[in-house]
Amino acid sequence: MADSIVASLSSLSISSASTISHAAPTAEASWASQLPKGVLATKTLLFKPKTAKSAAVKPVLVVALDSTDVGSSGVLAKEIGIKEMRAAGDDVWQEWFGAAKETASPLSLSSKSAPEGSHPVTLVLDSAIPKLPSDAKLAFHAPGSQTESITIPASDFSKFIESHKIETQPVDFVELKTKTPAAATKPAAGAAPAKSAAAASGSKASAKIEDAELIGITVRKGGDFPEWYQQVLRKGDMLDYYDVSGCYILKPWSYSVWEAITKFFDSEIKKLGVQNCYFPMFVSSDVLEREKDHIEGFAPEVAWVTRAGKSELERPVAIRPTSETVMYPYYAKWIQSHRDLPLKLNQWNSVVRWEFKHPQPFLRTREFLWQEGHTAHISLAEADKEVRQILDLYRRVYEDLLAVPVVPGVKSEKEKFAGGYYTTTVEGFVPTTGRGIQGGTSHCLGQNFSKMFNISVEDPAAAEGKRGTAEGRLFVWQNSWGLSTRTIGVMVMVHGDDKGLVMPPRVSQIQLVVVPCGITARTTQEERTKIEDACADAEKELLAAGVRAKADLRESYSPGYKFNDWEMRGVPIRMEIGPKDLQNKSRMLVRRDDGTKTSQPAEGIAQHVLQLLDTIHHDMFKRADDEYRSHRKVVTQWSDFTTELNKKNHVVIPWCEVEACEDAIKDRSARVAEQGAEQEAADERAPSMGAKSLCIPFDQDQFGDVKGKKCPQCGVDAKRWTMFGRSY
Amino acid sequence: MADSIVASLSSLSISSASTISHAAPTAEASWASQLPKGVLATKTLLFKPKTAKSAAVKPVLVVALDSTDVGSSGVLAKEIGIKEMRAAGDDVWQEWFGAAKETASPLSLSSKSAPEGSHPVTLVLDSAIPKLPSDAKLAFHAPGSQTESITIPASDFSKFIESHKIETQPVDFVELKTKTPAAATKPAAGAAPAKSAAAASGSKASAKIEDAELIGITVRKGGDFPEWYQQVLRKGDMLDYYDVSGCYILKPWSYSVWEAITKFFDSEIKKLGVQNCYFPMFVSSDVLEREKDHIEGFAPEVAWVTRAGKSELERPVAIRPTSETVMYPYYAKWIQSHRDLPLKLNQWNSVVRWEFKHPQPFLRTREFLWQEGHTAHISLAEADKEVRQILDLYRRVYEDLLAVPVVPGVKSEKEKFAGGYYTTTVEGFVPTTGRGIQGGTSHCLGQNFSKMFNISVEDPAAAEGKRGTAEGRLFVWQNSWGLSTRTIGVMVMVHGDDKGLVMPPRVSQIQLVVVPCGITARTTQEERTKIEDACADAEKELLAAGVRAKADLRESYSPGYKFNDWEMRGVPIRMEIGPKDLQNKSRMLVRRDDGTKTSQPAEGIAQHVLQLLDTIHHDMFKRADDEYRSHRKVVTQWSDFTTELNKKNHVVIPWCEVEACEDAIKDRSARVAEQGAEQEAADERAPSMGAKSLCIPFDQDQFGDVKGKKCPQCGVDAKRWTMFGRSY
């Protein structure tokens, strides 16, 4: 069937059509996601206008980009001057397309083309399609097939329409959406970044966003946040979906962020005397289950290897979900004397937690990359000190590399690591949803594990008579600490905007892209070469100065296409070089984070760029920090607690630190949320979640004196200011 | 029982005895290996002298370090003046020790101690025991237990003997061994490194080795090579055994070598435009099995996850054995246009091959760390070029970092990567066994995989009319290349000596250790502080100059103990600082690789050390290279082939390159080897292995003109010089 269509198109001198095969769409990976880069999925809708019985029925065929939100049929009907219409039934689809609606395509219409006069359907064409770049390809379903599609260049689709003499009415659905009553009642969320508000006001800026939506991100961050997140990651080239559920491919654009984090963190922990090692990924069930309390939390998520080749293993082995029980039997063996302390090991590896909850790229995946540090110390004081040193490195990863503000603090008893002594954390914040996110944790395990695994040394402080006795033994003090690729997800959620990713300069694989501009049909070859050479030279000069620069000299892509492409990937600075810039010996620099555009002398540009990258980092951090701070509300009355929570804030209260009170806070805030559930539509996946304690911030002074204050939930004397919120 | 022994020892004022628990010994991990560092396993043997029936039988009890080879009872009997004796039966063990011989210990003898007169056993004491450093501890079995041992300081063991009035005869088993007839008939293997020959001649040098054997490596490299390898890795702190068979723990001392390799290789491939990424470790069975030929080789070794928590997975997932089939479906999706080429991705990860063959640390393990590069190119020429660029980086890893010579070349058709077009390799050589080892491979996959996975682009060279047609499609040319932690095993096997590891300076985590010397009981505190300060200052100065230096200021260890310790770990340079050095403003430098000792002015020592490290690297490489070359024999007659092979050589022949001939060579060389099997005792695990082709070296000229030569096996015209040998 697909072949016959290609053949018939060929007869219309559309020779560029071809059939491609791909995986069948799944619940997680849509048809669109199965298509190659540069090939855009379409959708085909069919409506029957409600007419008087006697009148001839001219069905309305809608062809739009799959990513376009076509809104309600009522609004569309009004737009195209039809009083009322409704979706066509299966019989109509079969009649006109010979296929069920899921796999029908307008290309099948060829068999229905009228030899003379106009075609018996009206075509409503998504106005985004004619605006596509000339090398964009459209994909249509091969009739009846889930795994084959027909692709043709967008420009050839109009050829197809013309040759079939189909009456066509273009509709700008983006504009149409602003006309819908729903749009008026759904304002941008209060928490939306300032820049999208700005974008909505300036008409030029808002047009730009519409342009971007053609091949770019099709939903607003403040609108459908989960969809936005997925689009930004995929279109920003961070990852690809994978055919094992809950696993994702980290493409170079995201992996390079992880490399920047590892490089920084690894060199810092080595300064602290930490050494890297590698323990096997497999754990025997004996060892895994040795510490019952600890493993209880992990057991339901442990993946088991039971077979090798065709042999059933006599004893299945687990894949590590974390390495405490993997490593500590060896610590017991290696640590024999106080001279073997401190023992500070770290490994960079992946761990597997086969969660059955909804997976979320970077935030909740079945395999993830991380580092896990495991150290043993002679005293609690020494362990304490390291816990904080590591936590501060985590803070620096977020703040100094990713430009993401975090609040360092200690977890409540309820939220600490199972089996540990206490847990410190850096807590992040996603303004769009108002939810907190645990950024990284540094645990003091106390002596719990050392007693379990018998990791002990002769106490150098013990009296001579006690040496060599059980009494003279000292169980070591242990820490464990981990930071994962979740960092990348937080970075994306905090900084990304309606155009896509916004990369913090210090971790962006490319910090500046050079795009040749102003080349038109009238440009001479000599002028063209001059511009392109200037771009290549700029790249060279910047690379030499330590700027990760790239000249985008791809042919057959317009500057506009390139702008979009790099904006989606979030490259911090775009440098434009055109004839005027050459003439003026200047370079145009455009910041991704705030869109500002300045012309700079070409002379000394590298130094200027280095400074600008630093400025961008600080501005990005400041914006995110201001926003986080504005969403951190100090509350002393219970009545204000849920009100502020429902405004997507974190709430800081003078808290009693009683576990039962924490449970009560969660229950009461969840119940209130349910009543106001419709206000929560922005993030469907956290509709009525209760608040939990996120951390007890180390910086208590900023909130004033807690003495004499009562816990707003239970009225008991407050101990410390504690930050509560909904969270990931 | 263990407790009562400890109590009875305590009554002898041996309060330092204690009971320790550990894992039960297994086939792979001996009792000794389960003990903590610094605790030495012992062995207890019991013999009954053959006497006249009427005479009282005084049994002979032998107590030796577990690592000591006590040789035959005949030689021992002669040494202690007994005509004949034989191993005691179970009944005698039970009578004297109340335990079976496997878990008996001399400490149980206390219950048998005679109140007056001498003890009714004769004790033969391994003379290594009294020579142990004062803080060394001996471990004895807790009677009847596999998982408990009693430890006492070596010095307290003599206290125990004295208090029981046991007649003791010390025996130096190392010396005794040289008296055995077997020693005379088993000369050091011809392939043993020059330095061990030197050690055997000079008496001072040979004494040193005996000292080292007390706590060090107890077998000679040229003697029991497999045992030597395991001891060197464990005692040199490279790895520890793990309770999942075939998996090993990479300790910082070996992992840091891998870090040095990754740092070099990663920065080099980035210069070639390769980007890092991360694909999930899990593969669905569909994808894994898509390429039947390729997977056939891996299928028997694939580990399958079938269960998560308590849920059986609906569809089991495999753990990647390599990532061709994991990655290439996505290459098909990502590569749409020739502008997407070349695509050059690499990942640093671990892969799992659940081999059932005998595991060998670093060389054959079930999980191993590696990098795998996967690239796609527009043309064969471009792919060819990259294959060789990567292979040259592999050569540089071996030669420039590890000081290990390799021969770069191409694999025969029989030995190439399954499903590939051709395979290039760097081949290493282990002189002690005469076996070759594949060091790293860079494959050109041709278009085989691209056709299988439909990775194609529109051929930019196709005529306009063919564009968009199947005819106008070009399947990409692919490469894949990998280098693993096997590198570390090869490095150890090539450079290690009878004292332990010899680390190549460029990858050694510590390049120079500073040891304070000449501190005696008469040294004043002031002098002592001066020496130690000088050591700390030297460390600081060297670190500042970029030398990875460490001052070993551990108290309560003698310089001799420290020398041994760092020699076992193979630290390239030892700097000794004693009172004389301070006086002379000089520093004593001792090279690990050749033992030379020179005094150098303290002034400008860092520059000297940097040069010396370089010299050591080059000397180590030259020695290994000379040795490899001397074992590479050009042969043109079949009769010489097996002769040279059995002399632990690689054999280079003018070869026909016919696959059947390669099979014949393997068969015929294996058969001959069987006949001469007793000559092969040095490496029990490769007794009668046939030779296979290792590579066709790129440098053909060194062997002369191949034209007109005939293949010595089959007489057919030779094509190229080809290197054959036994291999790992």
PDB file of all heavy atoms in Angstrom, chain B residues 70 301 315 599 664:
ATOM      1  N   VAL B  70      56.919 -26.161  52.364  1.00  0.00           N
ATOM      2  CA  VAL B  70      57.731 -26.979  53.264  1.00  0.00           C
ATOM      3  C   VAL B  70      58.365 -28.174  52.560  1.00  0.00           C
ATOM      4  O   VAL B  70      59.124 -28.921  53.155  1.00  0.00           O
ATOM      5  CB  VAL B  70      56.928 -27.458  54.499  1.00  0.00           C
ATOM      6  CG1 VAL B  70      56.467 -26.270  55.316  1.00  0.00           C
ATOM      7  CG2 VAL B  70      55.758 -28.327  54.078  1.00  0.00           C
ATOM      8  N   GLU B 301      27.050 -16.398  26.976  1.00  0.00           N
ATOM      9  CA  GLU B 301      27.632 -15.668  28.103  1.00  0.00           C
ATOM     10  C   GLU B 301      26.770 -14.509  28.571  1.00  0.00           C
ATOM     11  O   GLU B 301      27.198 -13.705  29.388  1.00  0.00           O
ATOM     12  CB  GLU B 301      29.001 -15.114  27.696  1.00  0.00           C
ATOM     13  CG  GLU B 301      29.998 -16.176  27.320  1.00  0.00           C
ATOM     14  CD  GLU B 301      31.248 -15.584  26.711  1.00  0.00           C
ATOM     15  OE1 GLU B 301      31.314 -14.348  26.577  1.00  0.00           O
ATOM     16  OE2 GLU B 301      32.153 -16.361  26.375  1.00  0.00           O
ATOM     17  N   ARG B 315       9.139  -9.659  30.349  1.00  0.00           N
ATOM     18  CA  ARG B 315      10.145  -9.957  29.329  1.00  0.00           C
ATOM     19  C   ARG B 315      11.518  -9.733  29.951  1.00  0.00           C
ATOM     20  O   ARG B 315      11.897  -8.605  30.247  1.00  0.00           O
ATOM     21  CB  ARG B 315       9.970  -9.019  28.135  1.00  0.00           C
ATOM     22  CG  ARG B 315       8.522  -8.990  27.635  1.00  0.00           C
ATOM     23  CD  ARG B 315       8.380  -8.135  26.410  1.00  0.00           C
ATOM     24  NE  ARG B 315       9.143  -8.690  25.301  1.00  0.00           N
ATOM     25  CZ  ARG B 315       9.288  -8.076  24.147  1.00  0.00           C
ATOM     26  NH1 ARG B 315       8.759  -6.882  23.967  1.00  0.00           N
ATOM     27  NH2 ARG B 315       9.978  -8.635  23.181  1.00  0.00           N
ATOM     28  N   SER B 599      73.096   8.313  45.437  1.00  0.00           N
ATOM     29  CA  SER B 599      72.930   9.460  46.312  1.00  0.00           C
ATOM     30  C   SER B 599      72.933  10.709  45.434  1.00  0.00           C
ATOM     31  O   SER B 599      73.784  10.863  44.563  1.00  0.00           O
ATOM     32  CB  SER B 599      74.079   9.495  47.315  1.00  0.00           C
ATOM     33  OG  SER B 599      73.889  10.573  48.201  1.00  0.00           O
ATOM     34  N   ALA B 664      45.245 -26.132  10.619  1.00  0.00           N
ATOM     35  CA  ALA B 664      46.266 -27.189  10.613  1.00  0.00           C
ATOM     36  C   ALA B 664      47.441 -26.810  11.520  1.00  0.00           C
ATOM     37  O   ALA B 664      47.965 -27.639  12.264  1.00  0.00           O
ATOM     38  CB  ALA B 664      46.746 -27.444   9.188  1.00  0.00           C
TER      39      ALA B 664
END
